[in-house]
């Protein structure tokens, strides 16, 4: 994980990483800010897909669930069917059209905001899919 932060342009320490990964009720817990998380996700994309040129992508200062989902989709080379499968593993279903609305431009009339519950179910399904291997 530290190497992914590095690829995204942030040198994280092991202490910081442990604090970000701690449970919320733990005294050592520290919330990871949006820009740092964006750097991690950018590093994940670079690690899995390669970089575009020599420049490190500029991190977003504010992350939405839609941006997080988009970056995970890019980094893991996920297709709509993969995401729908992950949702099924979490006993959560949406249509392909509802899913595609999450990736639209926010100004588009059919744009849909990704709510916490949906992202949580995708992450849960992702864990079930990849941990069983």
């Amino acid at each position: 994980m530290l190497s992914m932060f590095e690829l995204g342009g942030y040198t994280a320490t092991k202490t910081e990483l442990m604090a970000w990964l701690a449970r919320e009720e733990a005294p050592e817990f520290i919330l990871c800010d949006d820009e740092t998380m964006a750097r991690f996700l950018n590093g994940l994309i670079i690690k899995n897909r390669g970089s575009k040129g020599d420049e490190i992508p500029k991190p977003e200062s504010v992350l939405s669930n839609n941006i997080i989902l988009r970056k995970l989709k890019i980094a893991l080379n996920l297709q709509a069917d993969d995401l729908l499968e992950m949702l099924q593993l979490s006993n959560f279903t949406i249509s392909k059209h509802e899913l595609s609305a999450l990736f639209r431009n926010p100004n588009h009339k059919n744009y849909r905001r990704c709510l916490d519950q949906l992202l949580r179910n995708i992450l849960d399904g992702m864990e079930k899919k990849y941990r069983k291997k």
Side-chain angles (χ1 to χ4, degrees), residues 7-131:
L7 288 170
Y10 181 77
T11 305
T13 65
K14 192 172 184 175
T15 306
E16 280 179 308
L17 182 60
M18 297 309 292
W20 292 327
L21 295 175
R23 295 209 173 264
E24 286 186 56
E25 59 273 1
E28 65 273 11
F29 172 77
I30 297 174
L31 188 64
C32 182
D33 64 84
D34 285 356
E35 186 173 324
T36 306
M37 178 58 80
R39 288 185 181 277
F40 172 79
L41 292 169
N42 289 342
L44 181 64
I45 291 170
I46 292 168
K47 177 186 175 289
N48 291 340
R49 304 283 301 266
S51 65
K52 289 184 176 180
D54 295 334
E55 291 185 22
I56 296 171
K58 185 177 180 332
E60 293 82 356
S61 56
V62 177
L63 281 180
S64 67
N65 289 345
N66 295 69
I67 295 171
I68 293 169
L69 185 58
R70 179 182 306 269
K71 287 181 178 283
L72 287 172
K73 183 178 183 236
I74 293 167
L76 301 174
N77 199 24
L78 299 172
Q79 302 300 316
D81 290 335
D82 299 321
L83 290 167
L84 292 172
E85 176 191 347
M86 289 175 194
L87 284 168
Q88 284 180 336
L89 290 172
S90 295
N91 297 318
F92 193 93
T93 54
I94 62 171
S95 72
K96 217 172 201 179
H97 298 290
E98 289 174 304
L99 182 65
S100 70
L102 301 172
F103 298 103
R104 296 188 187 279
N105 183 314
N107 297 325
H108 192 278
K109 68 176 185 166
N110 292 329
Y111 171 79
R112 181 176 172 205
R113 214 173 59 114
C114 181
L115 301 177
D116 292 345
Q117 179 187 19
L118 179 58
L119 183 60
R120 192 172 32 254
N121 278 292
I122 290 173
L123 293 173
D124 183 53
M126 191 178 292
E127 179 184 8
K128 289 175 182 172
K129 179 178 180 174
Y130 291 116
R131 284 253 172 118

